[in-house]
Amino acid sequence: AKLIFTTSLFLGTTITISSNHWITAWAGLEINTLAILPLISKSHHPRSIEAATKYFLTQATASTLVLFASMTNAWHTGQWDITQLTHPTSCLILTSAIAMKLGLVPFHFWFPEVLQGSPLATGLLLSTIMKFPPVVLLVMTSPSLNPTLLTFMAISSAALGGWMGLNQTQTRKIMAFSSISHLGWMTIIISYDPKLTLLNFYLYTMMTAAVFLILNTNNALSLSTLMTTWAKNPTLSAMLLLTLLSLAGLPPLTGFLPKWLIIQELTKQDMAIAATVISLLSLLGLFFYLRLAYCATITLPPHTTNHMKQWHTNKPVNTSIAILTTMSTMLLP
């Protein structure tokens, strides 16, 4: 069953990103949604069932809106081609639909809840693979969308992703808010340079995958369990520190590259104010990444913690973790 679900997941993504016709894109999005639902509700915990229900409702609404936007456009222009979205109403509807798919502000409320209810591996899929088809649709339709609206949504996403992540103690929720603020960075540049959006998305996917896999290896679901994982694998914790700083976008690391290019492009487009605002808002994100890193590596917990101590294992770390962490720290130099 798991094999079928993961295959359908990749199949749906492939269908959406390679389609020219709106109906095939919609069908791919639907396959995606239906394939990830059992992966979310795999542990029959009430919270994961609730997460699956919330996910299903928001994604179904968003898919309906995508269909509605494309039908309105076809009704007015006779075009079913994705790149030929010209009718202003359908452009607005499509923007809100894709924002709902991605979890951009103001449609972001479902994402932290869903991520908190699903296991770490599914959380990784939700914040990387599941974001790919909507991002591609956004890139394909970007010339006809309203840049002011996109910039507004982007800046508010960066702000809310930063602010709401500040006092979270659950690692999955922190990753969810980090995802929302990264999506803000991707959306602000999409009207001017869609290639930068895709670059930002690929690098974000890589770094997030590294963080999720490390958290999965350490089995750390909250900051308090993250404090006791240093005993299990110190090297992995050190790499987690670097990967988190890379996600925050500190200069010598990979995560700085998309931010640098985006700020450069924004200043070329006479949007220096927007660039300044979004850079200042990413400092909020830096705070909670630093807190994660602090809990993971810098601080030693008091010895009376009521957590099970993790055993130090000499098991070799998963190769993919090694590759991903190296790439997410070393790509820029």
Side-chain angles (χ1 to χ4, degrees), residues 24-237:
T24 43
W26 169 80
L29 290 171
E30 284 295 304
I31 292 173
N32 251 354
T33 306
L34 293 175
I36 195 106
L37 283 173
L39 295 179
I40 298 176
S41 56
K42 194 168 53 184
S43 62
H44 294 290
H45 191 273
R47 180 165 278 179
S48 58
I49 305 291
E50 183 190 353
T53 314
K54 282 177 180 169
Y55 185 76
F56 174 71
L57 291 173
T58 46
Q59 298 299 313
T61 315
S63 296
T64 317
L65 282 175
V66 166
L67 212 53
F68 186 50
S70 50
M71 279 169 66
T72 315
N73 189 57
W75 178 259
H76 283 283
T77 61
Q79 273 289 354
W80 278 104
D81 198 318
I82 293 186
T83 48
Q84 302 289 323
L85 191 79
T86 46
H87 192 253
T89 315
S90 49
C91 285
L92 277 174
I93 299 173
L94 184 85
T95 311
S96 58
I98 285 185
M100 209 181 274
K101 278 267 176 213
L102 288 172
L104 272 173
V105 173
F107 306 104
H108 63 284
F109 298 101
W110 62 272
F111 190 54
E113 304 289 326
V114 169
L115 217 60
Q116 181 57 30
S118 51
L120 277 169
T122 313
L124 167 62
L125 288 176
L126 275 174
S127 40
T128 55
I129 295 274
M130 299 302 286
K131 302 267 165 131
F132 190 41
V135 165
V136 169
L137 285 180
L138 199 56
V139 166
M140 286 165 78
T141 53
S142 60
S144 50
L145 299 180
N146 181 357
T148 322
L149 177 68
L150 286 176
T151 309
F152 175 71
M153 284 165 86
I155 288 179
S156 46
S157 292
L160 268 155
W163 264 311
M164 293 174 76
L166 287 184
N167 56 358
Q168 298 294 336
T169 53
Q170 301 289 328
T171 46
R172 286 170 293 186
K173 275 201 172 167
I174 292 182
M175 292 312 290
F177 287 118
S178 116
S179 178
I180 292 173
S181 54
H182 272 277
L183 281 168
W185 278 91
M186 289 172 221
T187 321
I188 198 165
I189 197 66
I190 196 146
S191 320
Y192 310 106
D193 197 348
K195 287 198 180 77
L196 271 184
T197 300
L198 282 178
L199 171 80
N200 195 346
F201 182 75
Y202 297 144
L203 293 180
Y204 156 76
T205 301
M206 196 175 69
M207 297 181 289
T208 309
V211 172
F212 265 111
L213 288 172
I214 294 176
L215 291 176
N216 197 22
T217 309
N218 284 340
N219 204 3
L221 293 180
S222 67
L223 290 181
S224 46
T225 39
L226 198 60
M227 278 189 176
T228 56
T229 55
W230 60 274
K232 184 179 181 183
N233 201 330
T235 334
L236 202 57
S237 294

Side-chain angles (χ1 to χ4, degrees), residues 242-255:
L242 285 175
T243 315
L244 284 168
L245 292 183
S246 181
L247 258 179
L250 289 188
L253 307 166
T254 310

